[in-house]
PDB file of all heavy atoms in Angstrom:
ATOM      1  N   LEU I 260      12.120   2.995 -19.588  1.00 89.00           N
ATOM      2  CA  LEU I 260      10.971   2.932 -20.469  1.00 89.00           C
ATOM      3  C   LEU I 260       9.983   1.934 -19.960  1.00 89.00           C
ATOM      4  O   LEU I 260       8.686   2.074 -20.241  1.00 89.00           O
ATOM      5  CB  LEU I 260      11.468   2.620 -21.852  1.00 89.00           C
ATOM      6  CG  LEU I 260      12.116   3.742 -22.739  1.00 89.00           C
ATOM      7  CD1 LEU I 260      12.729   3.070 -23.956  1.00 89.00           C
ATOM      8  CD2 LEU I 260      11.170   4.837 -22.983  1.00 89.00           C
ATOM      9  N   LEU I 261      10.399   0.800 -19.428  1.00 92.00           N
ATOM     10  CA  LEU I 261       9.505  -0.140 -18.868  1.00 92.00           C
ATOM     11  C   LEU I 261       8.620   0.376 -17.859  1.00 92.00           C
ATOM     12  O   LEU I 261       7.443  -0.230 -17.671  1.00 92.00           O
ATOM     13  CB  LEU I 261      10.376  -1.309 -18.419  1.00 92.00           C
ATOM     14  CG  LEU I 261      11.107  -2.203 -19.356  1.00 92.00           C
ATOM     15  CD1 LEU I 261      12.038  -3.149 -18.498  1.00 92.00           C
ATOM     16  CD2 LEU I 261      10.198  -2.872 -20.289  1.00 92.00           C
ATOM     17  N   LEU I 262       9.004   1.416 -17.100  1.00 96.00           N
ATOM     18  CA  LEU I 262       8.110   1.940 -16.075  1.00 96.00           C
ATOM     19  C   LEU I 262       6.831   2.509 -16.669  1.00 96.00           C
ATOM     20  O   LEU I 262       5.719   2.395 -16.103  1.00 96.00           O
ATOM     21  CB  LEU I 262       8.806   3.101 -15.320  1.00 96.00           C
ATOM     22  CG  LEU I 262      10.077   2.623 -14.643  1.00 96.00           C
ATOM     23  CD1 LEU I 262      10.684   3.810 -13.798  1.00 96.00           C
ATOM     24  CD2 LEU I 262       9.797   1.445 -13.680  1.00 96.00           C
ATOM     25  N   PHE I 263       6.901   3.091 -17.798  1.00 97.00           N
ATOM     26  CA  PHE I 263       5.732   3.566 -18.539  1.00 97.00           C
ATOM     27  C   PHE I 263       4.775   2.468 -18.834  1.00 97.00           C
ATOM     28  O   PHE I 263       3.523   2.418 -18.791  1.00 97.00           O
ATOM     29  CB  PHE I 263       6.026   4.445 -19.711  1.00 97.00           C
ATOM     30  CG  PHE I 263       6.741   5.588 -19.395  1.00 97.00           C
ATOM     31  CD1 PHE I 263       8.136   5.724 -19.706  1.00 97.00           C
ATOM     32  CD2 PHE I 263       6.147   6.750 -18.795  1.00 97.00           C
ATOM     33  CE1 PHE I 263       8.862   6.905 -19.429  1.00 97.00           C
ATOM     34  CE2 PHE I 263       6.838   7.928 -18.435  1.00 97.00           C
ATOM     35  CZ  PHE I 263       8.265   7.983 -18.911  1.00 97.00           C
ATOM     36  N   GLY I 264       5.434   1.273 -19.216  1.00 97.00           N
ATOM     37  CA  GLY I 264       4.695   0.118 -19.614  1.00 97.00           C
ATOM     38  C   GLY I 264       3.977  -0.449 -18.306  1.00 97.00           C
ATOM     39  O   GLY I 264       2.823  -0.781 -18.330  1.00 97.00           O
ATOM     40  N   ALA I 265       4.766  -0.443 -17.229  1.00 98.00           N
ATOM     41  CA  ALA I 265       4.077  -0.928 -15.921  1.00 98.00           C
ATOM     42  C   ALA I 265       2.921   0.013 -15.595  1.00 98.00           C
ATOM     43  O   ALA I 265       1.754  -0.536 -15.047  1.00 98.00           O
ATOM     44  CB  ALA I 265       5.148  -0.889 -14.744  1.00 98.00           C
ATOM     45  N   SER I 266       2.974   1.325 -15.746  1.00 98.00           N
ATOM     46  CA  SER I 266       1.895   2.284 -15.419  1.00 98.00           C
ATOM     47  C   SER I 266       0.588   1.780 -16.200  1.00 98.00           C
ATOM     48  O   SER I 266      -0.471   1.887 -15.876  1.00 98.00           O
ATOM     49  CB  SER I 266       2.244   3.667 -15.896  1.00 98.00           C
ATOM     50  OG  SER I 266       3.147   4.159 -14.996  1.00 98.00           O
ATOM     51  N   SER I 267       0.871   1.448 -17.525  1.00 98.00           N
ATOM     52  CA  SER I 267      -0.284   1.144 -18.431  1.00 98.00           C
ATOM     53  C   SER I 267      -0.942  -0.167 -17.927  1.00 98.00           C
ATOM     54  O   SER I 267      -2.119  -0.354 -18.242  1.00 98.00           O
ATOM     55  CB  SER I 267       0.197   0.807 -19.866  1.00 98.00           C
ATOM     56  OG  SER I 267       0.844  -0.361 -20.058  1.00 98.00           O
ATOM     57  N   PHE I 268      -0.279  -0.994 -17.156  1.00 98.00           N
ATOM     58  CA  PHE I 268      -0.936  -2.154 -16.593  1.00 98.00           C
ATOM     59  C   PHE I 268      -2.026  -1.820 -15.695  1.00 98.00           C
ATOM     60  O   PHE I 268      -3.066  -2.575 -15.585  1.00 98.00           O
ATOM     61  CB  PHE I 268       0.022  -3.023 -15.822  1.00 98.00           C
ATOM     62  CG  PHE I 268       1.194  -3.632 -16.759  1.00 98.00           C
ATOM     63  CD1 PHE I 268       2.317  -4.296 -16.215  1.00 98.00           C
ATOM     64  CD2 PHE I 268       1.046  -3.529 -18.129  1.00 98.00           C
ATOM     65  CE1 PHE I 268       3.233  -4.898 -17.018  1.00 98.00           C
ATOM     66  CE2 PHE I 268       1.996  -4.071 -18.928  1.00 98.00           C
ATOM     67  CZ  PHE I 268       3.112  -4.783 -18.294  1.00 98.00           C
ATOM     68  N   LEU I 269      -1.995  -0.675 -15.003  1.00 98.00           N
ATOM     69  CA  LEU I 269      -3.117  -0.212 -14.085  1.00 98.00           C
ATOM     70  C   LEU I 269      -4.413  -0.079 -14.885  1.00 98.00           C
ATOM     71  O   LEU I 269      -5.489  -0.456 -14.375  1.00 98.00           O
ATOM     72  CB  LEU I 269      -2.789   0.952 -13.358  1.00 98.00           C
ATOM     73  CG  LEU I 269      -2.034   0.821 -12.104  1.00 98.00           C
ATOM     74  CD1 LEU I 269      -0.576   0.596 -12.286  1.00 98.00           C
ATOM     75  CD2 LEU I 269      -2.196   2.027 -11.108  1.00 98.00           C
ATOM     76  N   TYR I 270      -4.298   0.591 -16.083  1.00 98.00           N
ATOM     77  CA  TYR I 270      -5.580   0.887 -16.893  1.00 98.00           C
ATOM     78  C   TYR I 270      -5.771  -0.219 -18.004  1.00 98.00           C
ATOM     79  O   TYR I 270      -6.873  -0.187 -18.632  1.00 98.00           O
ATOM     80  CB  TYR I 270      -5.629   2.246 -17.338  1.00 98.00           C
ATOM     81  CG  TYR I 270      -4.449   2.767 -18.167  1.00 98.00           C
ATOM     82  CD1 TYR I 270      -4.449   2.632 -19.554  1.00 98.00           C
ATOM     83  CD2 TYR I 270      -3.333   3.422 -17.580  1.00 98.00           C
ATOM     84  CE1 TYR I 270      -3.424   3.066 -20.323  1.00 98.00           C
ATOM     85  CE2 TYR I 270      -2.234   3.944 -18.354  1.00 98.00           C
ATOM     86  CZ  TYR I 270      -2.372   3.691 -19.764  1.00 98.00           C
ATOM     87  OH  TYR I 270      -1.312   4.195 -20.511  1.00 98.00           O
ATOM     88  N   GLU I 271      -4.810  -0.973 -18.397  1.00 98.00           N
ATOM     89  CA  GLU I 271      -4.934  -1.959 -19.367  1.00 98.00           C
ATOM     90  C   GLU I 271      -5.204  -3.422 -18.847  1.00 98.00           C
ATOM     91  O   GLU I 271      -5.853  -4.218 -19.421  1.00 98.00           O
ATOM     92  CB  GLU I 271      -3.803  -1.999 -20.372  1.00 98.00           C
ATOM     93  CG  GLU I 271      -3.710  -0.693 -21.205  1.00 98.00           C
ATOM     94  CD  GLU I 271      -4.778  -0.576 -22.164  1.00 98.00           C
ATOM     95  OE1 GLU I 271      -5.585  -1.514 -22.487  1.00 98.00           O
ATOM     96  OE2 GLU I 271      -4.964   0.514 -22.758  1.00 98.00           O
ATOM     97  N   LEU I 272      -4.534  -3.770 -17.680  1.00 98.00           N
ATOM     98  CA  LEU I 272      -4.582  -5.202 -17.222  1.00 98.00           C
ATOM     99  C   LEU I 272      -5.403  -5.412 -16.100  1.00 98.00           C
ATOM    100  O   LEU I 272      -5.936  -6.562 -15.792  1.00 98.00           O
ATOM    101  CB  LEU I 272      -3.118  -5.809 -17.086  1.00 98.00           C
ATOM    102  CG  LEU I 272      -2.279  -5.865 -18.306  1.00 98.00           C
ATOM    103  CD1 LEU I 272      -0.893  -6.425 -17.898  1.00 98.00           C
ATOM    104  CD2 LEU I 272      -2.875  -6.715 -19.412  1.00 98.00           C
ATOM    105  N   MET I 273      -5.427  -4.470 -15.204  1.00 98.00           N
ATOM    106  CA  MET I 273      -6.134  -4.548 -13.838  1.00 98.00           C
ATOM    107  C   MET I 273      -7.610  -4.257 -13.863  1.00 98.00           C
ATOM    108  O   MET I 273      -8.256  -4.913 -13.044  1.00 98.00           O
ATOM    109  CB  MET I 273      -5.352  -3.676 -12.831  1.00 98.00           C
ATOM    110  CG  MET I 273      -3.989  -4.137 -12.445  1.00 98.00           C
ATOM    111  SD  MET I 273      -3.153  -3.106 -11.226  1.00 98.00           S
ATOM    112  CE  MET I 273      -1.745  -4.148 -10.814  1.00 98.00           C
ATOM    113  N   PRO I 274      -8.100  -3.395 -14.700  1.00 98.00           N
ATOM    114  CA  PRO I 274      -9.527  -3.123 -14.650  1.00 98.00           C
ATOM    115  C   PRO I 274     -10.426  -4.398 -14.966  1.00 98.00           C
ATOM    116  O   PRO I 274      -9.963  -5.304 -15.588  1.00 98.00           O
ATOM    117  CB  PRO I 274      -9.825  -2.093 -15.692  1.00 98.00           C
ATOM    118  CG  PRO I 274      -8.468  -1.418 -15.820  1.00 98.00           C
ATOM    119  CD  PRO I 274      -7.453  -2.503 -15.653  1.00 98.00           C
ATOM    120  N   SER I 275     -11.611  -4.300 -14.370  1.00 98.00           N
ATOM    121  CA  SER I 275     -12.516  -5.530 -14.445  1.00 98.00           C
ATOM    122  C   SER I 275     -13.699  -5.163 -15.450  1.00 98.00           C
ATOM    123  O   SER I 275     -14.173  -4.134 -15.491  1.00 98.00           O
ATOM    124  CB  SER I 275     -13.083  -5.824 -13.093  1.00 98.00           C
ATOM    125  OG  SER I 275     -13.957  -6.893 -13.148  1.00 98.00           O
ATOM    126  N   GLY I 276     -14.022  -6.252 -16.177  1.00 98.00           N
ATOM    127  CA  GLY I 276     -15.182  -6.155 -17.095  1.00 98.00           C
ATOM    128  C   GLY I 276     -16.401  -6.131 -16.249  1.00 98.00           C
ATOM    129  O   GLY I 276     -16.443  -6.488 -15.012  1.00 98.00           O
ATOM    130  N   PRO I 277     -17.568  -5.668 -16.823  1.00 97.00           N
ATOM    131  CA  PRO I 277     -17.713  -5.210 -18.239  1.00 97.00           C
ATOM    132  C   PRO I 277     -17.309  -3.832 -18.458  1.00 97.00           C
ATOM    133  O   PRO I 277     -17.133  -3.436 -19.603  1.00 97.00           O
ATOM    134  CB  PRO I 277     -19.228  -5.357 -18.474  1.00 97.00           C
ATOM    135  CG  PRO I 277     -19.826  -5.235 -17.146  1.00 97.00           C
ATOM    136  CD  PRO I 277     -18.896  -5.712 -16.136  1.00 97.00           C
ATOM    137  N   ASN I 278     -17.043  -2.999 -17.356  1.00 97.00           N
ATOM    138  CA  ASN I 278     -16.743  -1.556 -17.631  1.00 97.00           C
ATOM    139  C   ASN I 278     -15.274  -1.218 -17.799  1.00 97.00           C
ATOM    140  O   ASN I 278     -14.947  -0.241 -18.360  1.00 97.00           O
ATOM    141  CB  ASN I 278     -17.319  -0.782 -16.526  1.00 97.00           C
ATOM    142  CG  ASN I 278     -18.870  -0.970 -16.378  1.00 97.00           C
ATOM    143  OD1 ASN I 278     -19.584  -1.067 -17.417  1.00 97.00           O
ATOM    144  ND2 ASN I 278     -19.423  -1.150 -15.190  1.00 97.00           N
ATOM    145  N   TYR I 279     -14.452  -2.044 -17.233  1.00 98.00           N
ATOM    146  CA  TYR I 279     -12.988  -1.857 -17.269  1.00 98.00           C
ATOM    147  C   TYR I 279     -12.544  -0.419 -16.914  1.00 98.00           C
ATOM    148  O   TYR I 279     -11.863   0.278 -17.661  1.00 98.00           O
ATOM    149  CB  TYR I 279     -12.510  -2.187 -18.759  1.00 98.00           C
ATOM    150  CG  TYR I 279     -12.670  -3.678 -19.129  1.00 98.00           C
ATOM    151  CD1 TYR I 279     -13.775  -4.076 -19.816  1.00 98.00           C
ATOM    152  CD2 TYR I 279     -11.828  -4.552 -18.474  1.00 98.00           C
ATOM    153  CE1 TYR I 279     -13.970  -5.477 -20.116  1.00 98.00           C
ATOM    154  CE2 TYR I 279     -12.091  -5.967 -18.756  1.00 98.00           C
ATOM    155  CZ  TYR I 279     -13.133  -6.309 -19.644  1.00 98.00           C
ATOM    156  OH  TYR I 279     -13.294  -7.641 -19.856  1.00 98.00           O
TER     157      TYR I 279
END
Side-chain angles (χ1 to χ4, degrees):
L260 284 172
L261 292 172
L262 300 182
F263 298 106
S266 289
S267 79
F268 295 169
L269 274 80
Y270 55 87
E271 292 291 348
L272 296 182
M273 289 180 169
S275 181
N278 301 320
Y279 296 104

